[in-house]
Amino acid sequence: MKSQEVRKQFLEFFKSKNHSIVASAPMVLKDDPTLMFTNAGMVPFKEYFLGNATPKNSRLTDTQKCLRVSGKHNDLEEVGKDTYHHTMFEMLGNWSFGDYFKEEAIAWAWEFLTEVVKVDKDSIYVSIFEGDESEGLERDQEAYDIWTKHIDESRIINGNKKDNFWEMGAQGPCGPCSEIHVDIRSAEEKAAVDGKSLVNMDHPLVIEIWNLVFMQYNRLANGSLTKLPSQHVDTGMGFERLCMVLQGVQSNYDTDVFTPLMREVETITSSKCGETEETDIAVRVIADHVRAVSFSIADGQLPSNTGAGYVIRRILRRAIRYGFTFLDTKEPFIYKLVSTLVNQMGDAFPELEAQKNLITNVIREEEASFLRTLDKGLILLDNVIANTSGDTVSGDKAFELYDTYGFPIDLTALILSEKNLKLDEAGFEAALKEQKDRSRAATKVETDDWNILQEDSEEEFIGYDTLEASVKITRYRKTESKKDGELYQLVFNLTPFYPEGGGQVGDKGYLETPSGEVVYIIDTKKENNLIIHLAKNLPRSTEGTFKAVVDVKQRSRTAANHTATHLLHQGLRKILGTHVEQKGSMVHSRNLRFDFSHFSKVTSEELKEVEDFVNARIRENLSLEEQRGISYDQAIQEGAIALFGEKYGDAVRTIRFGKSMELCGGTHVKNTGDIWHFKITSEGAVASGIRRIEAITSDAAKDYFTSETEAYNQVKATLKGNQDPVKAITSLLDENAALKKQVEALIKEKAQNLSGDLAKEFEDIDGVDFLAKKVDLDAGAIKDLAFKLGENKDNVFLLFGTEQNGKALLSCYISKELVASKNLNAGTVVRELGKHIQGGGGGQPFFATAGGKNPAGIDAAIVEVKNYLV
RNA sequence: GGGGGAUUAGCUCAGUUGGCUAGAGCGUUUGACUGGCAGUCAAAAGGCCACCAGUUCGAAUCUGGUAUUCUCCA
């Protein structure tokens, strides 16, 4: 069965059991501080399990793209070495939110596996939770009893808390789970060793394919468990593993999920799997990583040097490195795999198809850049080797290459071993650990437990309609970090504060108690759909009602910028073309930033057109038309623009100004006229194929024009009212350059003349042309003069003294030939004469200077210098 | 968010413990050789050594800050 068919069968099966099929959520997360990527099927539904929101249907099914690069069983560095670990994988899931429980979950899982896709019943084992005394938890007898209706008792295994009790995190919903394992070994192997004994033993052919989690408890902050008011089912089946079982192969990489990519890698690199272990690993690594990276870029997460983007960069670089080392690829090639991937998965994930060009370009650019880094690193490593005595390269040096220049440590190790050198690995690890500890210490945040004042299921956001409200604090907690110090996080029953999201900054403002006490809200954020207000301190009493007031000025400026962002988006699509897609935005009160896909520089004419377009919409005084709570499908049908990589709920909000219509949760002006004016302040590239525009509106635009005009007027005034300042300045610059040259020439000439005059003053002492004199020149001129006098002569000894700003300066020049023949040294001369001017100095043997604070001593020095020659 | 680098001619980069009036290759311009091109040879132009402070007799070089950029960690 083809993988595409497997996916379809699964979703259709659960649809027939009254589940709604939902699209995969983005792989990259935006409002969860504890997680960067969706690493399990349940992540997009966290808010439902936490009770912060309710799904439209209590039964859902989906295939979720997931990314795992760390964790106890999945280290990035291990992927590719075996046949069943991946960075990116799909998780098929069926979900019950307070609906069906163990009975149906188990029955349907069994039905799907054995009747729909027809997995051999005799290869299946299931496990149930055996109980745990320390937690006071009993064996999951209920699951056991249900399973016995489907499968022989001998195939049911007890599992411990580690394997069979699932928890979302340190706190929150949790419960026992039941795993389904499949043994796909050959008949001989099965006869030799009982499959039951290999379950959960990391055997590559006796594997867990499906985990059914029964959420029935809630883990409290103090570690104790309470029963959940309603019970949920969360299941996750590894899509690639299921394909392996159904396609009768023994490696995920031998399924049609991976084979097209792997064949393409072989073709492009002229390599062949099965020849060496290293080639096999490299091909698997590349096939796996190109998927992870492509899907991330499609979700709007580009490779970068911080945060989630850095994780993506690391994955891609690992693939490049394997190609570089084991497949001998010295040119970008991974980008060529994108079209294979799109052909294969574009149907199930339309975002891939839509973003194909961008993905290809970004990967190619990233490859080229890393190959340059490798080239530089190779040169640096050669230097390190050349400067290493003995046969061991120090860990510090290797770490410097890695940390500062991005040269991979395994490549260093490989090259050293080829040259019969050793690497001090312990030293490297120690340096790495030090760096990690430093980073951790710098970002450590201590979070206390929530203090619940009031149970309140959902916090209502009323900030679209009002900026002031009477609110109650429902819970609060304290956090402490090195950066911000102590902060309090407050949650209200309802709030007018807009939380950071959709590129828009969170609101600021204050809380006021009836007695007049004021607590400032310095920022508002969203965490798992919960709106959190940050304050430096708590009110004296957290009980009672507060007047919550949003900072109007910041909000209205931000709203103007946000609406302008929509108009800019519209203008760019109109003027540059509909290939323009939003790739990120940052809306502050001060300015706005808009990143979008476009493959060449935006010309200044185009920028002006865009600016004019936006300003025309502003002058049209378009009113805000807002729709709340309409369905996603309907919004799209009406022409609203949705963003890739954004997670949308079932009910969405649309914002329309004239012909601009977007799905958006942000705050906007009532009328485009409120923006006053729109002005682009910069345009540039942020990555291959991504441009960034920064712009300002309203007050900021006015201030901008005021100050620019003022500066311009000053320029004009300085130019005495010249009508064409640009021309005037250009000619001034030209003139200035010409004058500089003239002055230079004159100074040379002057030095020439002066040296001519001074040459007449030379005193012949024992065949040496000697001159000691006080002159009125600066240090540079004296140097010039001395070299000029010494030119074409080999017997010159000069000492010049000068007084500059109350300080004394002595300069001594001695022809190189004299230095050698008479064993003289200008450095020694000035150092010794320096005592007369209460200073010191030095230089080279043939030219040296000394400075001091006693100008009166210059004459004495000039007299004494003769002693060096007689 | 926390570290570590880098920034020198149009481009790619050297520049040792602070000290020769800052160099190379490529490119540009000019000239010579050649019937023309390619090429070879010769010469020239091209630098606020990122910016701002500081230390020093003296800073491309050392210190602090700013900007840009690369890189590692979180």
Side-chain angles (χ1 to χ4, degrees):
Chain A
M1 192 184 285
K2 289 240 176 217
S3 58
Q4 271 136 341
E5 185 63 18
V6 174
R7 196 187 283 120
K8 205 170 131 205
Q9 292 273 350
F10 180 87
L11 296 175
E12 290 299 324
F13 175 79
F14 280 99
K15 192 178 172 191
S16 76
K17 308 289 183 196
N18 295 323
H19 289 64
S20 298
I21 300 176
V22 296
S24 174
M27 203 161 66
V28 184
L29 296 176
K30 291 190 174 133
D31 67 344
D32 188 336
T34 61
L35 213 53
M36 282 184 194
F37 302 100
T38 301
N39 62 3
M42 59 71 60
V43 171
F45 303 118
K46 239 170 136 174
E47 62 194 48
Y48 301 147
F49 292 123
L50 287 169
N52 294 341
T54 357
K56 73 167 179 194
N57 188 337
S58 58
R59 296 180 183 190
L60 302 178
T61 183
D62 68 349
T63 176
Q64 174 64 44
K65 43 194 178 180
C66 301
L67 190 69
R68 258 185 220 179
V69 287
S70 58
K72 53 187 171 182
H73 285 309
N74 213 344
D75 187 7
L76 175 60
E77 284 307 320
E78 296 305 315
V79 172
K81 292 184 180 165
D82 60 35
T83 57
Y84 56 100
H85 277 116
H86 303 291
T87 50
M88 187 224 155
F89 56 93
E90 280 180 65
M91 213 176 236
L92 302 167
N94 56 293
W95 314 84
S96 158
F97 303 102
D99 194 315
Y100 63 84
F101 206 46
K102 296 179 189 175
E103 185 78 49
E104 295 88 336
I106 290 174
W108 289 338
W110 184 254
E111 184 185 342
F112 176 75
L113 286 179
T114 60
E115 286 171 35
V116 179
V117 294
K118 300 203 176 1
V119 174
D120 177 11
K121 289 179 189 173
D122 293 334
S123 67
I124 298 178
Y125 297 91
V126 300
S127 65
I128 60 126
F129 179 49
E130 67 186 2
D132 188 282
E133 251 179 58
S134 64
E135 297 276 7
L137 288 170
E138 290 180 358
R139 179 166 192 261
D140 191 357
Q141 192 62 37
E142 193 184 354
Y144 183 86
D145 292 342
I146 297 168
W147 273 120
T148 54
K149 296 179 195 167
H150 305 289
I151 194 169
D152 190 78
E153 282 177 32
S154 68
R155 296 188 161 269
I156 305 176
I157 297 165
N158 282 332
N160 59 18
K161 188 180 147 197
K162 178 178 146 276
D163 287 325
N164 284 73
F165 193 84
W166 189 90
E167 306 207 34
M168 194 168 79
Q171 275 172 262
C174 54
C177 61
S178 188
E179 296 174 341
I180 302 173
H181 298 258
V182 179
D183 181 358
I184 54 171
R185 292 174 304 152
S186 65
E188 298 84 56
E189 283 174 290
K190 282 182 183 175
V193 183
D194 183 14
K196 202 172 171 180
S197 68
L198 297 172
V199 168
N200 272 333
M201 300 302 287
D202 276 339
H203 191 290
L205 300 177
V206 182
I207 50 167
E208 174 200 338
I209 61 166
W210 203 345
N211 190 4
L212 315 177
V213 179
F214 311 118
M215 286 192 212
Q216 57 192 88
Y217 300 108
N218 188 27
R219 172 83 67 186
L220 299 181
N222 65 11
S224 66
L225 294 168
T226 58
K227 285 230 166 204
L228 277 178
S230 55
Q231 300 171 326
H232 314 295
V233 172
D234 151 14
T235 84
M237 174 150 61
F239 171 68
E240 294 79 8
R241 289 182 180 190
L242 177 63
C243 289
M244 167 170 78
V245 172
L246 297 181
Q247 293 176 9
V249 292
Q250 300 205 319
S251 156
N252 288 356
Y253 291 96
D254 289 335
T255 66
D256 69 341
V257 177
F258 289 96
T259 46
L261 287 170
M262 293 177 59
R263 294 299 84 80
E264 188 66 19
V265 174
E266 289 176 323
T267 308
I268 295 173
T269 62
S270 318
S271 54
K272 192 94 196 83
C273 281
E275 283 181 349
T276 65
E277 178 71 17
E278 283 167 345
T279 307
D280 289 4
I281 292 177
V283 174
R284 286 198 292 259
V285 162
I286 294 163
D288 175 277
H289 291 6
V290 71
R291 281 164 34 100
V293 173
S294 299
F295 274 91
S296 301
I297 297 172
D299 277 354
Q301 182 56 67
L302 301 174
S304 75
N305 57 0
T306 55
Y310 180 59
V311 175
I312 301 306
R313 171 169 283 174
R314 242 171 44 194
I315 296 174
L316 181 53
R317 289 190 166 188
R318 182 165 183 260
I320 300 169
R321 212 167 76 213
Y322 271 84
F324 183 87
T325 310
F326 301 116
L327 305 180
D328 200 34
T329 51
K330 310 298 179 215
E331 297 290 327
F333 72 101
I334 296 172
Y335 73 94
K336 293 178 186 164
L337 300 170
V338 173
S339 52
T340 307
L341 180 65
V342 170
N343 285 340
Q344 191 192 339
M345 301 191 79
D347 284 342
F349 299 94
E351 66 270 27
L352 270 189
E353 175 81 55
Q355 309 274 327
K356 185 180 165 187
N357 280 340
L358 179 75
I359 297 168
T360 308
N361 277 299
V362 168
I363 292 181
R364 184 178 49 216
E365 192 53 42
E366 193 64 23
E367 284 190 84
S369 137
F370 187 54
L371 288 168
R372 280 196 296 273
T373 301
L374 289 181
D375 272 343
K376 284 190 182 173
L378 288 171
I379 295 169
L380 289 167
L381 180 57
D382 279 344
N383 284 336
V384 170
I385 291 172
N387 291 321
T388 298
S389 51
D391 65 347
T392 305
V393 168
S394 79
D396 282 348
K397 279 286 173 208
F399 183 73
E400 187 190 334
L401 278 173
Y402 167 76
D403 179 53
T404 302
Y405 300 101
F407 194 70
I409 186 64
D410 50 357
L411 220 49
T412 301
L414 185 78
I415 290 168
L416 291 184
S417 75
E418 278 169 3
K419 301 193 180 215
N420 286 322
L421 292 166
K422 285 186 206 127
L423 170 66
D424 171 17
E425 283 178 35
F428 176 82
E429 290 300 331
L432 185 61
K433 183 173 184 303
E434 199 180 311
Q435 142 125 313
K436 286 189 177 178
D437 290 346
R438 197 170 41 220
S439 284
R440 266 196 210 106
T443 51
K444 196 170 177 188
V445 181
E446 305 245 3
T447 307
D448 285 3
D449 288 333
W450 285 112
N451 292 290
I452 311 269
L453 302 177
Q454 215 172 341
E455 284 298 342
D456 186 51
S457 58
E458 251 171 83
E459 182 184 27
E460 194 187 347
F461 175 66
I462 54 170
Y464 293 137
D465 305 308
T466 177
L467 298 183
E468 248 185 71
S470 177
V471 308
K472 287 185 171 129
I473 299 176
T474 55
R475 52 171 121 167
Y476 69 90
R477 67 182 174 187
K478 192 172 90 173
T479 64
E480 192 163 359
S481 69
K482 200 164 187 175
K483 186 178 152 251
D484 298 320
E486 267 184 26
L487 280 182
Y488 289 89
Q489 301 187 333
L490 311 175
V491 177
F492 308 151
N493 59 335
L494 54 96
T495 181
F497 285 84
Y498 179 82
E500 181 182 333
Q504 183 180 330
V505 290
D507 276 335
K508 290 184 168 70
Y510 61 89
L511 280 187
E512 191 177 344
T513 66
S515 62
E517 185 195 358
V518 166
V519 171
Y520 289 98
I521 304 295
I522 57 171
D523 200 1
T524 311
K525 291 176 188 286
K526 205 173 194 176
E527 205 175 298
N528 294 317
N529 215 28
L530 203 61
I531 299 171
I532 291 171
H533 308 79
L534 304 180
K536 292 232 188 236
N537 57 299
L538 284 176
R540 276 192 294 276
S541 163
T542 51
E543 306 285 333
T545 57
F546 299 84
K547 190 166 79 166
V549 182
V550 174
D551 179 338
V552 182
K553 204 164 189 180
Q554 184 196 320
R555 170 68 88 82
S556 65
R557 287 178 177 183
T558 307
N561 282 335
H562 200 149
T563 303
T565 305
H566 285 207
L567 298 176
L568 171 62
H569 190 187
Q570 186 196 4
L572 288 168
R573 287 174 71 91
K574 179 158 173 100
I575 285 142
L576 300 180
T578 48
H579 63 278
V580 167
E581 269 158 12
Q582 178 169 346
K583 285 294 158 204
S585 76
M586 183 67 86
V587 179
H588 287 110
S589 58
R590 199 173 55 252
N591 67 342
L592 66 96
R593 204 173 78 191
F594 188 77
D595 296 348
F596 58 99
S597 49
H598 182 60
F599 293 105
S600 56
K601 185 172 170 58
V602 187
T603 65
S604 53
E605 291 79 22
E606 287 167 336
L607 283 178
K608 185 165 185 319
E609 267 187 75
V610 171
E611 220 173 72
D612 289 347
F613 176 90
V614 173
N615 281 317
R617 300 290 84 74
I618 291 170
R619 271 193 303 280
E620 281 174 11
N621 289 317
L622 302 167
S623 295
L624 164 68
E625 296 168 64
E626 179 194 10
Q627 282 179 291
R628 288 185 211 162
I630 77 163
S631 80
Y632 178 85
D633 294 336
Q634 195 192 335
I636 297 298
Q637 213 179 343
E638 286 180 18
I641 295 180
L643 305 182
F644 287 107
E646 202 63 46
K647 181 182 163 195
Y648 293 104
D650 309 314
V652 297
R653 174 170 178 256
T654 64
I655 294 294
R656 186 204 296 264
F657 288 96
K659 286 182 178 155
S660 154
M661 184 173 177
E662 294 192 28
L663 297 184
C664 179
T667 62
H668 289 270
V669 295
K670 293 266 180 291
N671 187 295
T672 56
D674 299 342
I675 302 171
W676 294 1
H677 192 79
F678 171 81
K679 172 77 196 153
I680 293 174
T681 50
S682 80
E683 191 273 343
V686 275
S688 167
I690 309 275
R691 313 293 303 180
R692 169 172 293 173
I693 281 181
E694 291 180 332
I696 50 177
T697 67
S698 65
D699 287 346
K702 204 172 72 181
D703 293 347
Y704 174 81
F705 284 116
T706 309
S707 68
E708 290 290 299
T709 310
E710 196 174 321
Y712 181 70
N713 284 338
Q714 279 177 8
V715 169
K716 274 214 297 200
T718 312
L719 294 167
K720 312 260 187 281
N722 193 309
Q723 285 312 297
D724 191 347
V726 177
K727 200 173 155 196
I729 289 170
T730 314
S731 73
L732 275 177
L733 284 176
D734 289 348
E735 202 178 325
N736 187 37
L739 285 175
K740 258 190 190 162
K741 291 222 149 130
Q742 277 187 37
V743 168
E744 227 168 82
L746 281 173
I747 286 175
K748 255 185 192 164
E749 201 182 312
K750 189 183 161 199
Q752 192 79 51
N753 291 339
L754 191 57
S755 68
D757 294 344
L758 288 175
K760 292 174 195 151
E761 296 181 32
F762 278 143
E763 185 180 343
D764 189 328
I765 300 179
D766 204 9
V768 173
D769 279 346
F770 171 81
L771 177 66
K773 192 173 165 68
K774 192 170 173 182
V775 292
D776 188 21
L777 292 168
D778 69 11
I782 290 178
K783 197 173 188 179
D784 279 343
L785 178 62
F787 279 91
K788 180 62 74 181
L789 283 167
E791 215 174 41
N792 307 322
K793 289 189 134 178
D794 56 6
N795 63 336
V796 176
F797 188 116
L798 303 169
L799 182 77
F800 289 116
T802 188
E803 185 182 337
Q804 296 276 315
N805 307 323
K807 286 186 175 177
L809 179 72
L810 296 174
S811 308
C812 177
Y813 176 94
I814 306 173
S815 294
K816 283 182 183 171
E817 292 77 5
L818 278 185
V819 169
S821 64
K822 298 217 170 200
N823 198 24
L824 288 166
N825 188 323
T828 319
V829 173
V830 293
R831 212 170 294 121
E832 286 171 9
L833 294 176
K835 64 178 188 277
H836 292 291
I837 54 168
Q838 292 177 27
Q844 306 101 284
F846 54 90
F847 185 79
T849 54
K853 47 194 168 186
N854 178 25
I858 292 176
D859 293 330
I862 285 174
V863 171
E864 196 185 306
V865 68
K866 233 180 233 189
N867 298 342
Y868 285 95
L869 287 175
V870 291

